[in-house]
Amino acid sequence: MITFEDVTKRYRDGTVAVADLSLEVPTGAITVFVGPSGCGKTTSLRMINRMIDATSGRITLDGQDVREIDPPTLRRGIGYVIQQAGLFPHRKIVDNVATVPYLLGWSKRKARARAMDLLELVGLDPGLAGRYPFQLSGGQQQRVGVARALAADPPVLLMDEPFSAVDPIVRASLQDELLRLQSELRKTIVFVTHDIDEAVKLGDTVAVMRVGGRLAQMAGPATLLTEPADDFVREFLGRDRGIRRLSFISAKEVRLRPAPSDLATDEDGRPLGWRTANGLAAYGTFTPETDSLRAALDAALLSANGTAVAVDEEGRVRGVAGRDAIDELLAEYAPPASGGSGEGSSGDGSSEEAPA
Amino acid sequence: MTDEPLVRWDWIARNWANGGPTAISALLENHVVMAFLPVLFGLVVALPLGLACVRWRWLYQPTAALMNVTYSLPSLVLFSIFLSITGLTRSTVVIPLTFFALAVLIPAVVDGLASVPDAVRQSAVAMGFRPARRLLRVELPVAVPVVLAGLRVATVSSISLVSVGALIGQGGLGNLFIDGWQRQFYTPITVGIVLIVLLAVLADGLLVLAQRLLTPWSRARRTA
């Protein structure tokens, strides 16, 4: 666990980058620092591995004050992914990934074998190992950056706007990949971004920071969306908070009823459309096991008759859910009355202070 | 003198390797040594000085100014200054040319290190490199293309400037020009020019080859 205790960073010219920051970064989860530029999120991140030293306050890593640890030694035990990857242009991909193992004195053979495993882990073709960074696309370089950060299997990973320089489609796939990796690796990840959608998608906990380096709110993404602490957070979260929040509710609990006879299916039981006098009409599908309530609602809205079609992993019809069934679940997950806590899966509610 | 040809091959044949100090081959050898020593010395001095200029930024402006003033001095003036110190020796040519090489190489080292992308430097810090290792393993290798570009300029200009040393009898192939002018005899002049140009082209070609071999990682990016 990483803790910030009254951490302040004041520069010589008097600018305060981070002010009295106190928070806890839980072990094995993704904590996102998000906020507009100048909110001190990157400074906060860099104080963890001492690329920047705090002016006052204390940052501890599993109970030990980071300032008691020699910086290079500290850094070799913490993975770091930088914006634009920051790969070494003169080193082949395999050697880029093996950087920290080399620094730790591993043999070349062992370090490279480890690097090859990691390339595979992050979904890169091992055939790229012998290439130089300039021969890779931005998205591939960023994957190499993640592999490099993981090379010595550090328990903590710091990610500084790692996906902000790639196009939206590549960014989405890198985000999905990170979530997949994290479900296997369970690292303690601190992720910095200015993109609130990215924060809400990736974070188990989201710390919203405001200009001047103050923590505005720290909570689970669903709580953040339903109970923003103040106008700043509300504005920063943007539109459609209610809808976006539905992404955090599983569609598993949607009450299904058997498919009615006017739902046309093919011989394998896959939906074809709603029978009407004028032929087949549009339908929307969702998969209860893996989709969110947002997807179920979306499916209902896409259907000509407002009824969402539930399908299994193979796309076969399992039943249907009308708006009534979706409404039922919506009511169950309605935002609590003021002062109440959020749903079980999210963080500890909102306050200026970090959750204890 | 009007019907004197540009080249008399028989003169070249007789003077290529006549065993004496004025043989063309001996002058060529001299020229090579006097052209390369300044570049070599320049590089040896420019590396630490350039690093110092990067480490202590305030050092760079005065150093660059001093080097530029030196570069603007006619080589002949520098040769005369050193003539009174080192006499009619090679050093009188090599030392001033070292200063000229420095004027090109110090900025090349400084610009080379400045060409290291910030993300690369920062990720090296974040990976846990200590400063000396970061310099040797990351920053200097990444600076190589820019430093080599400076080295090419320094080498070619050094090859050409050596000939001015002929005025104090230490000009390598430049001595052929004096000889030719004094006798109104074109052949040595032609031979001198052709050999100096060939030498420059050859040296530059070797440096380009070295660059290809040393920095395979920057080849495509350069042409892109």
Side-chain angles (χ1 to χ4, degrees), chain A residues 54-332:
Chain A
T55 312
S56 65
R58 223 162 76 100
I59 296 174
T60 62
L61 189 64
D62 291 328
Q64 193 180 9
D65 190 333
V66 293
R67 263 181 300 191
E68 289 164 4
I69 311 171
D70 163 56
T73 309
L74 172 73
R75 292 171 192 147
R76 289 172 196 177
I78 298 177
Y80 195 93
V81 185
I82 197 169
Q83 194 179 351
Q84 280 146 1
L87 301 182
F88 300 146
H90 61 299
R91 296 263 186 104
K92 289 179 177 167
I93 297 305
V94 62
D95 293 320
N96 260 288
V97 175
T99 299
V100 179
Y102 286 149
L103 285 173
L104 291 172
W106 295 22
S107 72
K108 191 160 188 166
R109 184 198 295 192
K110 189 178 163 207
R112 285 192 157 181
R114 170 74 181 153
M116 295 306 287
D117 290 345
L118 279 158
L119 286 179
E120 204 169 324
L121 182 72
V122 301
L124 279 172
D125 174 8
L128 298 176
R131 304 249 179 111
Y132 287 102
F134 77 88
Q135 295 168 302
L136 271 57
S137 70
Q140 288 172 325
Q141 291 193 23
Q142 207 49 262
R143 280 169 198 259
V144 175
V146 173
R148 180 174 66 171
L150 290 170
D153 202 19
V156 176
L157 206 56
L158 307 180
M159 307 184 81
D160 185 7
E161 305 222 17
F163 308 145
S164 57
V166 293
D167 69 64
I169 294 171
V170 175
R171 188 182 313 147
S173 84
L174 287 170
Q175 290 167 344
D176 294 337
E177 193 79 359
L178 177 65
L179 290 173
R180 182 188 64 77
L181 273 177
Q182 173 64 355
S183 68
E184 277 177 44
L185 302 174
R186 293 273 152 224
K187 300 287 182 190
T188 301
I189 299 179
V190 184
F191 191 106
V192 162
T193 181
H194 60 264
D195 177 355
I196 185 67
D197 291 321
E198 184 168 65
V200 165
K201 177 175 177 181
L202 298 178
D204 296 306
T205 310
V206 178
V208 184
M209 297 175 74
R210 68 171 100 238
V211 177
R214 291 192 174 274
L215 183 63
Q217 185 175 9
M218 185 161 174
T223 309
L224 202 65
L225 286 165
T226 37
E227 300 167 72
D230 57 23
D231 288 344
F232 168 77
V233 178
R234 192 172 299 123
E235 210 163 292
F236 192 70
L237 283 165
R239 290 172 171 277
D240 307 329
R241 284 189 289 117
I243 297 280
R244 280 151 67 195
R245 178 179 156 267
L246 301 184
S247 303
F248 299 98
I249 301 170
S250 167
K252 221 181 287 186
E253 293 171 53
V254 175
R255 190 170 43 80
L256 302 181
R257 59 184 163 86
S261 57
D262 56 347
L263 179 65
T265 57
D266 64 12
E267 59 228 38
D268 293 325
R270 294 190 181 84
L272 294 171
W274 295 104
R275 290 195 184 88
T276 68
N278 306 319
L280 293 175
Y283 66 96
T285 62
F286 71 104
T287 309
E289 301 307 319
T290 52
D291 274 337
S292 67
L293 189 53
R294 185 177 180 168
L297 179 60
D298 192 55
L301 295 174
L302 284 172
S303 280
N305 59 4
T307 300
V309 180
V311 294
D312 62 16
E313 306 279 343
E314 276 78 47
R316 288 185 296 255
V317 176
R318 279 187 39 195
V320 298
R323 293 232 188 101
D324 54 333
I326 291 168
D327 271 347
E328 225 171 81
L329 203 56
L330 285 177
E332 202 175 314

Side-chain angles (χ1 to χ4, degrees), chain A residues 86-87 89, chain B residues 113-123 142 221:
Chain A
L87 301 182
Chain B
L113 289 171
S115 77
V116 178
D118 208 38
V120 169
R121 189 175 284 114
Q122 294 208 350
S123 70
V142 175
R221 201 172 50 179

Side-chain angles (χ1 to χ4, degrees), chain B residues 98-187:
Chain B
T98 301
F99 280 102
F100 286 137
L102 277 176
V104 175
L105 291 175
I106 291 175
V109 171
V110 173
D111 292 347
L113 289 171
S115 77
V116 178
D118 208 38
V120 169
R121 189 175 284 114
Q122 294 208 350
S123 70
V125 172
M127 295 296 121
F129 277 84
R130 291 179 198 281
R133 190 160 176 175
R134 191 175 83 221
L135 182 71
L136 289 174
R137 295 292 180 80
V138 180
E139 298 184 11
L140 282 177
V142 175
V144 161
V146 176
V147 175
L148 272 179
L151 203 60
R152 286 172 63 187
V153 176
T155 304
V156 170
S157 72
S158 188
I159 288 172
S160 127
L161 281 170
V162 164
S163 36
V164 182
L167 292 165
I168 58 155
Q170 290 288 354
L173 295 166
N175 291 340
L176 294 171
F177 301 150
I178 304 261
D179 180 34
W181 288 123
Q182 280 170 349
R183 296 197 280 145
Q184 292 294 295
F185 176 36
Y186 296 149
T187 304

Side-chain angles (χ1 to χ4, degrees), chain B residues 198-221:
Chain B
L198 279 179
L199 198 56
V201 168
L202 181 72
D204 195 51
L206 284 175
L207 283 170
V208 170
L209 189 69
Q211 188 165 359
R212 293 259 162 110
L213 294 176
L214 281 173
T215 65
W217 50 270
S218 76
R219 200 181 309 174
R221 201 172 50 179

